[in-house]
Amino acid sequence: MVNMGKQHQRIVVKVGTSSLIYPNGQVNLRTIDRLAYTLATLNHQGYEMVLVSSGAIGVGLASLGLTKRPAEIAQQQALAAIGQTELMRIYSQRFLDYQTKVGQILLTRDVLDYPVSRQHILNTIETLLSDAVVPIINENDPVSVDELDHHTTFSDNDELSAQVATKIKADLLIVLSDIDAFYDRDPHKFTDAHPIRHVSEMTPELEQAASGSSTQFGTGGMVTKLRAAATIMQANQHMVLCNGRDPKIIFQILDGNEEVGTRFGK
């Protein structure tokens, strides 16, 4: 899947809110620390690592001691502003523990839609990677809106990660989720659900098997992950969906373990 003979391999890792925030609303520092350790280790080995991270609103809620996401857009955006600052502080601290620097990039849909701004962003990412800095990308939630013909939001960070991976021509997109793999039916509801280890083409049966988000803090679900996989496969790239409980699972994926997660791509 990934050409191990290449001097540099470009890997995009997407981590969801469900991996970063405990069910009780507190920040999962253990997962963040293991994520930083894993990406820093690979960075030191010569991989070009890009992290697409959710969690700004979840961290904002935890920072203010709240447990319920507000319905008002302005309050959500304020929480994202607070949470993004705190999230980057944690990431910066943890990555520095492993002698790796990070750089923040906040995106809106229109930035990637328009050629000039898109090229500037790609240039920035290329420069960071050439300097062995790990870009940490998230949607710019405090300013993202969808009004009339002015659409600046991504549907979710699964879409964002797929867009980033295709635009920078990544060798692999790894989506860390709260589920072990893509199943033939919802494993949260059916005990006889079976994992599908390899998907080489999209079918109506796969779309039917997909289900919505299983946590109150995230916005994505299997439907959005399947859409991200479709975007990746249309670009003749590859994606792995796996459980982000312990991000060190990324080592197994890059070692070629076929029993980890679900691999999308031919």
Side-chain angles (χ1 to χ4, degrees):
M1 172 152 78
V2 177
N3 183 1
M4 299 302 290
K6 292 180 61 175
Q7 183 177 2
H8 295 290
Q9 293 176 0
R10 184 165 292 185
I11 313 294
V12 176
V13 175
K14 183 265 177 178
V15 62
T17 301
S18 60
S19 298
L20 301 176
I21 305 295
Y22 286 117
N24 67 1
Q26 295 301 305
V27 179
N28 189 335
L29 294 175
R30 183 171 73 168
T31 291
I32 293 177
D33 184 73
R34 290 178 176 179
L35 180 63
Y37 166 80
T38 301
L39 270 59
T41 299
L42 293 169
N43 182 60
H44 294 166
Q45 293 175 359
Y47 286 87
E48 295 179 335
M49 305 303 300
V50 176
L51 176 61
V52 175
S53 175
S54 302
I57 291 180
V59 173
L61 287 167
S63 179
L64 296 181
L66 305 175
T67 57
K68 185 177 181 181
R69 182 178 178 136
E72 295 82 0
I73 297 298
Q75 290 188 12
Q76 291 183 24
Q77 292 182 309
L79 279 172
I82 295 169
Q84 189 64 41
T85 302
E86 177 67 9
L87 183 60
M88 283 306 300
R89 184 193 66 79
I90 296 171
Y91 273 135
S92 180
Q93 179 188 64
R94 292 303 191 273
F95 273 90
L96 283 175
D97 285 342
Y98 302 110
Q99 293 78 52
T100 299
K101 293 183 179 180
V102 299
Q104 177 180 246
I105 298 178
L106 297 177
L107 296 177
T108 52
R109 176 182 286 278
D110 53 345
V111 171
L112 290 184
D113 283 344
Y114 293 108
V116 175
S117 57
R118 178 173 65 238
Q119 191 56 54
H120 282 299
I121 286 296
L122 296 180
N123 292 344
T124 300
I125 294 174
E126 292 289 344
T127 302
L128 290 171
L129 293 176
S130 68
D131 291 337
V133 177
V134 176
I136 299 182
I137 301 173
N138 196 1
E139 182 169 4
N140 195 352
D141 289 321
V143 303
S144 294
V145 293
D146 268 348
E147 294 179 347
L148 301 178
D149 60 347
H150 185 206
H151 300 289
T152 65
T153 64
F154 297 93
S155 60
D156 50 77
N157 270 6
D158 293 322
E159 180 195 4
L160 173 58
S161 67
Q163 291 290 334
V164 169
T166 56
K167 299 272 187 309
I168 69 171
K169 297 178 170 56
D171 296 289
L172 180 65
L173 168 61
I174 300 175
V175 176
L176 302 177
S177 183
D178 59 351
I179 195 167
D180 294 336
F182 188 85
Y183 285 78
D184 57 357
R185 57 200 309 196
D186 188 349
H188 294 107
K189 299 178 182 177
F190 303 97
T191 57
D192 60 345
H194 295 287
I196 301 172
R197 293 301 179 189
H198 183 226
V199 174
S200 59
E201 64 177 344
M202 292 297 168
T203 65
E205 289 76 19
L206 287 175
E207 295 176 1
Q208 186 175 2
S211 61
S213 176
S214 60
T215 72
Q216 62 172 312
F217 299 105
T219 58
M222 285 300 106
V223 171
T224 62
K225 288 166 180 57
L226 205 61
R227 289 174 186 159
T231 298
I232 290 294
M233 292 170 68
Q234 287 170 5
N236 294 317
Q237 292 171 258
H238 297 88
M239 171 180 139
V240 173
L241 169 66
C242 61
N243 199 309
R245 184 183 308 109
D246 185 351
K248 288 187 287 187
I249 195 173
I250 294 171
F251 292 135
Q252 298 181 49
I253 293 170
L254 297 183
D255 285 341
N257 189 335
E258 297 287 342
E259 295 303 311
V260 174
T262 298
R263 296 168 185 264
F264 296 86
K266 295 183 179 179

